[in-house]
Amino acid sequence: MQSYTIGQAARLLGVSPDTARRWADAGRVATHRDENGRRLIDGRDLAAFSIEVGQGAHGDEEESYTSARNAFPGIVTAVKLGDVAAQVEIQSGPHRLVSLLTREAVEELGLEVGMQATARVKSTSVHIDRT
């Protein structure tokens, strides 16, 4: 399973590294140390936490306006495979994106919960790039 540094997690969550570090220090997300002493977050833990953060992002905070240029880097939070089709969910900061694609595409990309991916939106379609 892929693990993420505090900085990588912050980028995926759409917050500063200091905010991600404070959340880890407060025990909101579990961390462990690698052989070099860096704090890491397990991909599955980060996926679950990103859903929690995304659901709480719609509070009283003032929303920012930006031109996202149709790319939403984030973390895969769910993969549902059918016989032919599949559904992939990505949490990109406060944004939850869902893509319906073929099972074959999901398997070729090797998509699984906890890995980084980028959702690209074109009209009514969401395309996913593995990063």
Side-chain angles (χ1 to χ4, degrees):
M1 173 51 51
Q2 186 168 353
S3 292
Y4 298 90
T5 65
I6 295 290
Q8 290 170 323
R11 185 177 59 80
L12 292 170
L13 294 169
V15 299
S16 73
D18 286 338
T19 297
R21 198 171 292 109
R22 279 193 297 273
W23 287 342
D25 290 345
R28 288 189 61 191
V29 63
T31 63
H32 63 277
R33 301 258 181 200
D34 69 5
E35 61 278 355
N36 296 320
R38 293 182 308 166
R39 281 199 302 183
L40 300 175
I41 302 170
D42 179 74
R44 289 192 183 275
D45 291 339
L46 183 58
F49 184 65
S50 71
I51 292 171
E52 176 187 323
V53 169
Q55 289 171 344
H58 302 293
D60 295 333
E61 298 175 13
E62 184 177 319
E63 293 209 21
S64 62
Y65 295 93
T66 182
S67 172
R69 307 300 273 172
N70 302 337
F72 295 86
I75 187 167
V76 176
T77 57
V79 176
K80 299 173 187 165
L81 297 174
D83 292 336
V84 176
Q87 178 178 314
V88 176
E89 296 181 24
I90 292 179
Q91 192 72 37
S92 177
H95 309 289
R96 176 180 165 263
L97 297 110
V98 179
S99 179
L100 301 175
L101 57 164
T102 66
R103 178 186 181 118
E104 181 180 11
V106 171
E107 290 171 347
E108 284 179 8
L109 290 169
L111 295 175
E112 61 183 41
V113 172
M115 72 183 334
Q116 284 183 271
T118 300
R120 297 195 187 275
V121 179
K122 173 72 174 154
S123 185
T124 59
S125 299
V126 176
H127 302 268
I128 297 177
D129 299 338
R130 180 176 173 181
T131 50

